[in-house]
Amino acid sequence: MGRTDPAVEWNDASVQWFDESILRTERFATAIHGGEALVTSMPQDPNSLTGEEIDALWSIRDPVNGEIKLKKALTEYPASADELHTQIARSQGLQGRFHEAWEEIAKVSTTPHEVVQIRVQLESGRLKNTSGDTKESQAHFLKAFALAKQGHFDFYAVDAAHMLGIVSEGQESIQWNEKALKLAANSKNERARKWRGSLLNNLGWSYFNMGDFNTALVTFESALEFQQTTGNPVRIRIPRWAVARCLRALKRYDEAFAIQNDLIQYPEQGYVSEELGELLLVMGRPDEAKPRFRRAYELLSPSLSSDPNERTRLAPLKELSQ
């Protein structure tokens, strides 16, 4: 198949690919140290949640249940309402309920904390991108990046740069990913530094989509090395999948198949099955490929059918499964 593979949106707390989750937000005070802003937690208000606590309420794997938890938190922690609205909007957008998501963004107060202002721009950009308006999303991400840089919020600056890498193409995408990597490497904020694995992943896809498979492979291998230091098995599986996908592009089919055949042992949401089907086709084993494509279609349909950027991926899977 001639499809390319999109960059993946991650962060430091969970991942998006076959065991995905996206979360972001903090309610933090800024302390200046050594000329560079550090982000430190504010004293806990009994009527508020920290950003990490808000993040923990939901996951892209289950945005429906996450939305319920976030809305419940609105009544219990009114001081965090602005941040909670942005996350509710995010969960609704992932369900394809874009009109409701924009209404949720509109509920943010007219004088929000500067971090919330950044998050409004980030989530507005993500809503635009998820609904298929990639060009319009760039303006929001650029504004988020400028606000985060101005306020010395490194974590959000990296987030915005990483999103600009996703919605850009070619050399521009590479430049934004490299800028994000540099910001993460130079930051004194631990959450910002943890972006390195996801940024290397997305940089690898930029090279991949430009047809530079050798550079992409080296970049994915660097992402794998980074994730191996975390000890998180899900995070390790993601760059392993990317390495194998790149090996297929380089026609190193046996190596790619060995990796994917190992990954299929873990719970997955369809991408491994899809890739095994592709490999079996190019290896001249179409009868074995059909059940893999069938399984991929079953697993991917619920999520991809609501994503305008991925919807066209389903029809070939269904055809190849028959």
Side-chain angles (χ1 to χ4, degrees), residues 197-210:
S198 58
L199 294 169
L200 284 167
N201 175 82
N202 288 353
L203 181 59
W205 286 121
S206 294
Y207 284 120
F208 184 96
N209 291 332
M210 291 175 67

Side-chain angles (χ1 to χ4, degrees), residues 39-263:
V39 185
T40 56
S41 295
M42 295 175 65
Q44 182 65 50
D45 181 331
N47 294 317
S48 71
L49 293 168
T50 66
E52 291 88 346
E53 289 170 334
I54 293 173
D55 292 348
L57 292 174
W58 78 284
S59 154
I60 195 175
R61 287 172 292 181
D62 190 2
V64 174
N65 190 47
E67 181 184 356
I68 293 171
K69 292 180 180 179
L70 289 163
K71 286 184 174 180
K72 181 180 179 183
L74 271 177
T75 62
E76 298 175 350
Y77 303 97
S80 292
D82 282 344
E83 285 187 273
L84 287 164
H85 286 311
T86 67
Q87 294 303 288
I88 292 169
R90 181 79 168 278
S91 66
Q92 291 171 337
L94 287 165
Q95 298 171 61
R97 294 159 51 199
F98 302 117
H99 181 71
E100 292 173 76
W102 285 114
E103 289 183 338
E104 202 67 35
I105 290 287
K107 293 176 183 178
V108 173
S109 65
T110 56
T111 56
H113 185 278
E114 58 185 323
V115 167
V116 176
Q117 294 177 45
I118 297 167
R119 287 195 51 76
V120 166
Q121 294 302 319
L122 284 169
E123 302 312 335
S124 296
R126 279 190 264 260
L127 281 173
K128 287 287 186 181
N129 185 48
T130 304
S131 62
D133 193 350
T134 301
K135 184 176 181 180
E136 185 67 23
S137 72
Q138 290 180 321
H140 289 290
F141 294 135
L142 284 168
K143 188 169 183 180
F145 182 74
L147 288 170
K149 288 285 287 180
Q150 180 182 345
H152 301 284
F153 293 102
D154 293 351
F155 178 79
Y156 295 104
V158 176
D159 188 357
H162 125 274
M163 288 306 305
L164 284 161
I166 289 175
V167 301
S168 302
E169 296 180 354
Q171 194 60 40
E172 184 181 2
S173 176
I174 289 172
Q175 289 171 351
W176 276 113
N177 277 300
E178 288 180 341
K179 183 175 289 190
L181 277 165
K182 185 176 180 180
L183 282 168
N186 293 333
S187 177
K188 295 180 180 178
N189 177 254
E190 184 179 1
R191 292 188 78 196
R193 292 195 300 273
K194 287 182 178 179
W195 273 102
R196 182 172 171 78
S198 58
L199 294 169
L200 284 167
N201 175 82
N202 288 353
L203 181 59
W205 286 121
S206 294
Y207 284 120
F208 184 96
N209 291 332
M210 291 175 67
D212 188 350
F213 302 132
N214 286 303
T215 304
L217 179 60
V218 171
T219 308
F220 288 138
E221 288 172 340
S222 294
L224 177 57
E225 289 176 7
F226 177 85
Q227 298 298 358
Q228 285 172 333
T229 67
T230 71
N232 184 316
V234 173
R235 288 184 171 275
I236 292 169
R237 291 200 293 271
I238 291 169
R240 285 191 72 204
W241 188 98
V243 166
R245 176 64 185 91
C246 207
L247 288 170
R248 173 162 74 89
L250 290 167
K251 303 187 188 311
R252 293 163 60 178
Y253 302 135
D254 290 338
E255 294 170 79
F257 189 85
I259 295 172
Q260 299 292 1
N261 205 40
D262 179 60
L263 291 174

